[in-house]
Amino acid sequence: MKTNDIILQTATKVVLFIIVLFSVYIFFAGHYTPGGGFVGGLLTSGAIILLLLAFDMKTVDKILPVNFMYMIATGLLFAIGTGAGGLLFNVPFLTHAFTDVDLPILGHLSLHTAALFDLGVFLVVVGVTMIIIKTIGEDD
Amino acid sequence: MIQTIAMIAILCISLATLALIYRVIKGPSIPDRVVALDAIGINLVAIVALISIALNTNAFLEVILLLGILAFIGTVAFSKYLEKGVIIEHDRDR
């Protein structure tokens, strides 16, 4: 018997963007409020898992053609790159830099290289979680 | 004053959670237990909100949305397992 999941699929199409937006908010708010790369990454993978629940693995591979192995590698590269970047300026490994910039549209921003390190954590967490879930969930 | 009200409300919700735990342990069928666990998750949201009122902080407000999302995903996963036997299908139209 073929089941009809239209309520679940329509609810997923609405809720997915709220979850992704919330995870991006948690990722960027990590410097001043609770949150950060780890929780943001887990929440993003939660959104992809909801997509996997409502649809199937083939559809999700078509929507998100991402190799999560490369995602982990990119995240580790971000983390090591921000660490090794300090060595170029004659400061110890993992020294972070901080600056205030004024951009035309975005206005006054305070940029910190710790955010790039956090982006690496985010990518690694998403990649590891999705690889675990997809490897276990794959039948035969 | 507001702390006392929050504590009374936490007590009431704790009693409701105890009744739901009785349903989780006793519930004759699996769907009873799934619905009770979902309601326990939502009660936890209410308890977190009331505790953040009592402690006069807004540091826990992300936890509320997070628990709502996690309860939804968990319940959807369990009900899909009960209906189809698999949680993540490889190909839906096969």
Short mmCIF file of all heavy atoms in Angstrom, two decimals, chain A residues 16-61:
data_model
loop_
_atom_site.label_atom_id
_atom_site.label_comp_id
_atom_site.label_asym_id
_atom_site.label_seq_id
_atom_site.Cartn_x
_atom_site.Cartn_y
_atom_site.Cartn_z
N LEU A 16 11.25 23.66 7.83
CA LEU A 16 12.68 23.51 7.50
C LEU A 16 13.40 24.85 7.51
O LEU A 16 14.48 24.98 8.09
CB LEU A 16 12.80 22.85 6.13
CG LEU A 16 14.22 22.59 5.67
CD1 LEU A 16 14.73 21.33 6.30
CD2 LEU A 16 14.30 22.49 4.19
N PHE A 17 12.78 25.88 6.89
CA PHE A 17 13.45 27.17 6.78
C PHE A 17 13.54 27.85 8.13
O PHE A 17 14.51 28.56 8.41
CB PHE A 17 12.74 28.04 5.75
CG PHE A 17 12.84 27.47 4.37
CD1 PHE A 17 11.77 26.82 3.80
CD2 PHE A 17 14.02 27.54 3.69
CE1 PHE A 17 11.88 26.28 2.55
CE2 PHE A 17 14.15 27.00 2.44
CZ PHE A 17 13.07 26.36 1.86
N ILE A 18 12.53 27.63 8.99
CA ILE A 18 12.60 28.21 10.34
C ILE A 18 13.76 27.58 11.11
O ILE A 18 14.52 28.27 11.80
CB ILE A 18 11.26 28.00 11.07
CG1 ILE A 18 10.13 28.63 10.28
CG2 ILE A 18 11.31 28.58 12.45
CD1 ILE A 18 8.77 28.33 10.82
N ILE A 19 13.93 26.24 10.98
CA ILE A 19 15.00 25.57 11.71
C ILE A 19 16.36 26.04 11.19
O ILE A 19 17.28 26.30 11.97
CB ILE A 19 14.87 24.04 11.58
CG1 ILE A 19 13.54 23.57 12.15
CG2 ILE A 19 15.98 23.35 12.32
CD1 ILE A 19 13.33 22.09 12.03
N VAL A 20 16.49 26.15 9.86
CA VAL A 20 17.78 26.58 9.30
C VAL A 20 18.10 28.01 9.74
O VAL A 20 19.24 28.33 10.13
CB VAL A 20 17.76 26.46 7.77
CG1 VAL A 20 18.98 27.13 7.16
CG2 VAL A 20 17.73 25.02 7.35
N LEU A 21 17.07 28.88 9.72
CA LEU A 21 17.28 30.27 10.15
C LEU A 21 17.68 30.32 11.61
O LEU A 21 18.59 31.06 12.01
CB LEU A 21 15.99 31.05 9.92
CG LEU A 21 16.09 32.55 9.76
CD1 LEU A 21 16.89 32.86 8.53
CD2 LEU A 21 14.72 33.15 9.67
N PHE A 22 17.04 29.50 12.45
CA PHE A 22 17.36 29.46 13.88
C PHE A 22 18.79 28.96 14.09
O PHE A 22 19.51 29.48 14.95
CB PHE A 22 16.35 28.56 14.59
CG PHE A 22 16.53 28.47 16.07
CD1 PHE A 22 16.60 29.60 16.85
CD2 PHE A 22 16.63 27.23 16.68
CE1 PHE A 22 16.77 29.51 18.21
CE2 PHE A 22 16.80 27.13 18.04
CZ PHE A 22 16.87 28.27 18.81
N SER A 23 19.21 27.97 13.28
CA SER A 23 20.56 27.45 13.46
C SER A 23 21.60 28.48 13.04
O SER A 23 22.64 28.61 13.68
CB SER A 23 20.74 26.16 12.68
OG SER A 23 20.88 26.42 11.31
N VAL A 24 21.30 29.25 11.98
CA VAL A 24 22.23 30.30 11.56
C VAL A 24 22.30 31.38 12.64
O VAL A 24 23.38 31.89 12.97
CB VAL A 24 21.79 30.88 10.21
CG1 VAL A 24 22.59 32.14 9.89
CG2 VAL A 24 22.00 29.88 9.11
N TYR A 25 21.13 31.71 13.23
CA TYR A 25 21.12 32.69 14.32
C TYR A 25 21.97 32.21 15.50
O TYR A 25 22.79 32.96 16.04
CB TYR A 25 19.68 32.95 14.77
CG TYR A 25 19.60 33.59 16.13
CD1 TYR A 25 19.96 34.92 16.31
CD2 TYR A 25 19.20 32.86 17.25
CE1 TYR A 25 19.93 35.50 17.55
CE2 TYR A 25 19.17 33.43 18.49
CZ TYR A 25 19.53 34.75 18.64
OH TYR A 25 19.52 35.32 19.87
N ILE A 26 21.79 30.92 15.87
CA ILE A 26 22.54 30.37 17.02
C ILE A 26 24.03 30.39 16.71
O ILE A 26 24.86 30.68 17.57
CB ILE A 26 22.04 28.95 17.32
CG1 ILE A 26 20.77 29.04 18.13
CG2 ILE A 26 23.09 28.13 18.04
CD1 ILE A 26 20.64 28.06 19.20
N PHE A 27 24.38 30.10 15.43
CA PHE A 27 25.80 30.10 15.05
C PHE A 27 26.41 31.49 15.21
O PHE A 27 27.49 31.65 15.77
CB PHE A 27 25.94 29.61 13.61
CG PHE A 27 27.31 29.78 13.05
CD1 PHE A 27 28.35 29.01 13.51
CD2 PHE A 27 27.56 30.72 12.08
CE1 PHE A 27 29.62 29.18 13.02
CE2 PHE A 27 28.84 30.89 11.58
CZ PHE A 27 29.86 30.11 12.05
N PHE A 28 25.71 32.53 14.72
CA PHE A 28 26.30 33.87 14.76
C PHE A 28 26.19 34.51 16.14
O PHE A 28 26.97 35.40 16.46
CB PHE A 28 25.65 34.77 13.71
CG PHE A 28 26.20 34.54 12.34
CD1 PHE A 28 25.42 33.99 11.34
CD2 PHE A 28 27.51 34.85 12.06
CE1 PHE A 28 25.94 33.77 10.09
CE2 PHE A 28 28.04 34.63 10.82
CZ PHE A 28 27.25 34.09 9.83
N ALA A 29 25.21 34.04 16.97
CA ALA A 29 25.06 34.64 18.29
C ALA A 29 26.02 34.04 19.30
O ALA A 29 26.05 34.47 20.45
CB ALA A 29 23.61 34.46 18.77
N GLY A 30 26.83 33.04 18.86
CA GLY A 30 27.64 32.31 19.81
C GLY A 30 28.67 33.13 20.55
O GLY A 30 29.14 32.74 21.60
N HIS A 31 29.03 34.30 19.99
CA HIS A 31 30.10 35.05 20.64
C HIS A 31 29.62 35.78 21.88
O HIS A 31 30.38 35.97 22.83
CB HIS A 31 30.67 36.06 19.64
CG HIS A 31 32.06 36.49 19.97
ND1 HIS A 31 33.17 35.75 19.64
CD2 HIS A 31 32.52 37.58 20.62
CE1 HIS A 31 34.25 36.37 20.07
NE2 HIS A 31 33.89 37.48 20.67
N TYR A 32 28.35 36.21 21.88
CA TYR A 32 27.87 37.03 23.00
C TYR A 32 26.79 36.35 23.83
O TYR A 32 26.57 36.72 24.97
CB TYR A 32 27.32 38.36 22.48
CG TYR A 32 28.38 39.24 21.90
CD1 TYR A 32 28.45 39.49 20.55
CD2 TYR A 32 29.34 39.82 22.73
CE1 TYR A 32 29.44 40.29 20.02
CE2 TYR A 32 30.33 40.61 22.21
CZ TYR A 32 30.38 40.85 20.87
OH TYR A 32 31.37 41.63 20.35
N THR A 33 26.09 35.38 23.27
CA THR A 33 25.00 34.69 23.98
C THR A 33 25.21 33.19 23.83
O THR A 33 26.05 32.76 23.05
CB THR A 33 23.62 35.09 23.40
OG1 THR A 33 23.66 34.81 21.99
CG2 THR A 33 23.32 36.54 23.62
N PRO A 34 24.45 32.35 24.57
CA PRO A 34 24.59 30.91 24.41
C PRO A 34 24.39 30.47 22.98
O PRO A 34 23.54 30.99 22.26
CB PRO A 34 23.49 30.35 25.31
CG PRO A 34 23.28 31.37 26.33
CD PRO A 34 23.55 32.68 25.68
N GLY A 35 25.18 29.49 22.56
CA GLY A 35 25.10 29.02 21.18
C GLY A 35 26.50 28.79 20.65
O GLY A 35 27.44 28.61 21.42
N GLY A 36 26.65 28.80 19.35
CA GLY A 36 27.96 28.62 18.75
C GLY A 36 27.93 27.58 17.65
O GLY A 36 26.86 27.16 17.21
N GLY A 37 29.12 27.17 17.24
CA GLY A 37 29.22 26.28 16.08
C GLY A 37 28.64 24.90 16.34
O GLY A 37 28.04 24.31 15.45
N PHE A 38 28.83 24.38 17.56
CA PHE A 38 28.40 23.01 17.81
C PHE A 38 26.88 22.88 17.76
O PHE A 38 26.34 22.04 17.04
CB PHE A 38 28.93 22.55 19.17
CG PHE A 38 28.69 21.13 19.47
CD1 PHE A 38 29.44 20.14 18.86
CD2 PHE A 38 27.69 20.74 20.34
CE1 PHE A 38 29.20 18.82 19.12
CE2 PHE A 38 27.45 19.43 20.60
CZ PHE A 38 28.20 18.45 19.99
N VAL A 39 26.17 23.73 18.52
CA VAL A 39 24.71 23.64 18.55
C VAL A 39 24.13 24.00 17.18
O VAL A 39 23.17 23.36 16.72
CB VAL A 39 24.13 24.55 19.64
CG1 VAL A 39 22.70 24.25 19.88
CG2 VAL A 39 24.92 24.44 20.90
N GLY A 40 24.73 25.01 16.54
CA GLY A 40 24.24 25.40 15.22
C GLY A 40 24.38 24.27 14.22
O GLY A 40 23.47 24.01 13.42
N GLY A 41 25.53 23.57 14.27
CA GLY A 41 25.72 22.45 13.36
C GLY A 41 24.75 21.32 13.62
O GLY A 41 24.19 20.73 12.69
N LEU A 42 24.53 21.01 14.89
CA LEU A 42 23.57 19.95 15.22
C LEU A 42 22.18 20.31 14.74
O LEU A 42 21.43 19.46 14.25
CB LEU A 42 23.55 19.70 16.73
CG LEU A 42 24.68 18.84 17.27
CD1 LEU A 42 24.48 18.62 18.76
CD2 LEU A 42 24.69 17.49 16.59
N LEU A 43 21.81 21.59 14.88
CA LEU A 43 20.47 22.01 14.48
C LEU A 43 20.32 21.97 12.96
O LEU A 43 19.27 21.58 12.44
CB LEU A 43 20.22 23.41 15.01
CG LEU A 43 18.78 23.74 15.37
CD1 LEU A 43 18.21 22.67 16.27
CD2 LEU A 43 18.73 25.06 16.06
N THR A 44 21.39 22.35 12.22
CA THR A 44 21.33 22.26 10.76
C THR A 44 21.18 20.82 10.32
O THR A 44 20.38 20.50 9.43
CB THR A 44 22.60 22.86 10.16
OG1 THR A 44 22.73 24.20 10.62
CG2 THR A 44 22.53 22.87 8.65
N SER A 45 21.95 19.91 10.96
CA SER A 45 21.79 18.50 10.59
C SER A 45 20.41 18.00 11.00
O SER A 45 19.86 17.12 10.33
CB SER A 45 22.90 17.66 11.19
OG SER A 45 23.00 17.92 12.55
N GLY A 46 19.83 18.56 12.09
CA GLY A 46 18.45 18.21 12.43
C GLY A 46 17.48 18.60 11.33
O GLY A 46 16.54 17.85 11.03
N ALA A 47 17.71 19.76 10.70
CA ALA A 47 16.85 20.17 9.59
C ALA A 47 16.97 19.21 8.42
O ALA A 47 15.97 18.81 7.80
CB ALA A 47 17.21 21.59 9.15
N ILE A 48 18.23 18.78 8.12
CA ILE A 48 18.42 17.84 7.00
C ILE A 48 17.79 16.49 7.35
O ILE A 48 17.24 15.81 6.48
CB ILE A 48 19.91 17.71 6.67
CG1 ILE A 48 20.51 19.08 6.37
CG2 ILE A 48 20.11 16.84 5.46
CD1 ILE A 48 22.00 19.05 6.20
N ILE A 49 17.84 16.10 8.64
CA ILE A 49 17.24 14.83 9.05
C ILE A 49 15.72 14.91 8.90
O ILE A 49 15.08 13.93 8.50
CB ILE A 49 17.65 14.48 10.48
CG1 ILE A 49 19.11 14.05 10.50
CG2 ILE A 49 16.81 13.37 11.06
CD1 ILE A 49 19.73 14.06 11.85
N LEU A 50 15.14 16.07 9.21
CA LEU A 50 13.70 16.22 9.00
C LEU A 50 13.35 16.06 7.52
O LEU A 50 12.34 15.45 7.16
CB LEU A 50 13.25 17.58 9.52
CG LEU A 50 11.76 17.85 9.48
CD1 LEU A 50 11.03 16.85 10.36
CD2 LEU A 50 11.44 19.24 9.94
N LEU A 51 14.22 16.60 6.65
CA LEU A 51 14.03 16.43 5.20
C LEU A 51 14.13 14.95 4.83
O LEU A 51 13.35 14.46 4.01
CB LEU A 51 15.10 17.24 4.48
CG LEU A 51 14.78 17.82 3.12
CD1 LEU A 51 13.59 18.70 3.21
CD2 LEU A 51 15.97 18.60 2.62
N LEU A 52 15.08 14.23 5.45
CA LEU A 52 15.23 12.80 5.18
C LEU A 52 14.01 12.02 5.65
O LEU A 52 13.63 11.02 5.05
CB LEU A 52 16.46 12.25 5.88
CG LEU A 52 17.82 12.41 5.22
CD1 LEU A 52 18.89 11.96 6.17
CD2 LEU A 52 17.89 11.59 3.97
N LEU A 53 13.39 12.48 6.76
CA LEU A 53 12.21 11.77 7.29
C LEU A 53 11.01 11.98 6.38
O LEU A 53 10.25 11.05 6.12
CB LEU A 53 11.87 12.28 8.69
CG LEU A 53 12.78 11.88 9.82
CD1 LEU A 53 12.34 12.58 11.09
CD2 LEU A 53 12.74 10.40 10.03
N ALA A 54 10.85 13.22 5.88
CA ALA A 54 9.65 13.51 5.10
C ALA A 54 9.78 12.97 3.68
O ALA A 54 8.79 12.56 3.08
CB ALA A 54 9.40 15.01 5.07
N PHE A 55 11.01 13.00 3.13
CA PHE A 55 11.21 12.49 1.77
C PHE A 55 12.09 11.25 1.88
O PHE A 55 12.07 10.59 2.90
CB PHE A 55 11.84 13.59 0.90
CG PHE A 55 10.96 14.79 0.76
CD1 PHE A 55 11.10 15.87 1.61
CD2 PHE A 55 9.95 14.82 -0.17
CE1 PHE A 55 10.27 16.97 1.51
CE2 PHE A 55 9.13 15.92 -0.28
CZ PHE A 55 9.29 16.99 0.56
N ASP A 56 12.84 10.95 0.84
CA ASP A 56 13.71 9.78 0.92
C ASP A 56 15.14 10.18 0.57
O ASP A 56 15.41 11.33 0.21
CB ASP A 56 13.23 8.67 -0.01
CG ASP A 56 12.98 9.20 -1.39
OD1 ASP A 56 13.94 9.36 -2.13
OD2 ASP A 56 11.81 9.48 -1.71
N MET A 57 16.06 9.22 0.68
CA MET A 57 17.46 9.57 0.55
C MET A 57 17.81 10.05 -0.86
O MET A 57 18.66 10.92 -1.04
CB MET A 57 18.31 8.36 0.92
CG MET A 57 19.61 8.75 1.58
SD MET A 57 20.48 7.35 2.20
CE MET A 57 19.72 7.08 3.76
N LYS A 58 17.14 9.48 -1.87
CA LYS A 58 17.44 9.86 -3.25
C LYS A 58 17.05 11.32 -3.50
O LYS A 58 17.81 12.09 -4.10
CB LYS A 58 16.68 8.94 -4.22
CG LYS A 58 17.54 8.38 -5.32
CD LYS A 58 16.80 7.33 -6.10
CE LYS A 58 16.09 7.89 -7.30
NZ LYS A 58 15.30 6.86 -7.99
N THR A 59 15.86 11.71 -3.01
CA THR A 59 15.41 13.09 -3.18
C THR A 59 16.32 14.07 -2.47
O THR A 59 16.66 15.13 -3.01
CB THR A 59 13.97 13.24 -2.66
OG1 THR A 59 13.22 12.12 -3.07
CG2 THR A 59 13.33 14.49 -3.16
N VAL A 60 16.72 13.71 -1.24
CA VAL A 60 17.57 14.62 -0.47
C VAL A 60 18.94 14.75 -1.12
O VAL A 60 19.54 15.84 -1.13
CB VAL A 60 17.67 14.15 0.99
CG1 VAL A 60 18.64 15.00 1.77
CG2 VAL A 60 16.32 14.18 1.64
N ASP A 61 19.45 13.64 -1.72
CA ASP A 61 20.72 13.76 -2.45
C ASP A 61 20.59 14.68 -3.65
O ASP A 61 21.55 15.36 -4.04
CB ASP A 61 21.17 12.37 -2.91
CG ASP A 61 21.88 11.63 -1.80
OD1 ASP A 61 22.27 12.30 -0.83
OD2 ASP A 61 22.00 10.39 -1.89
#
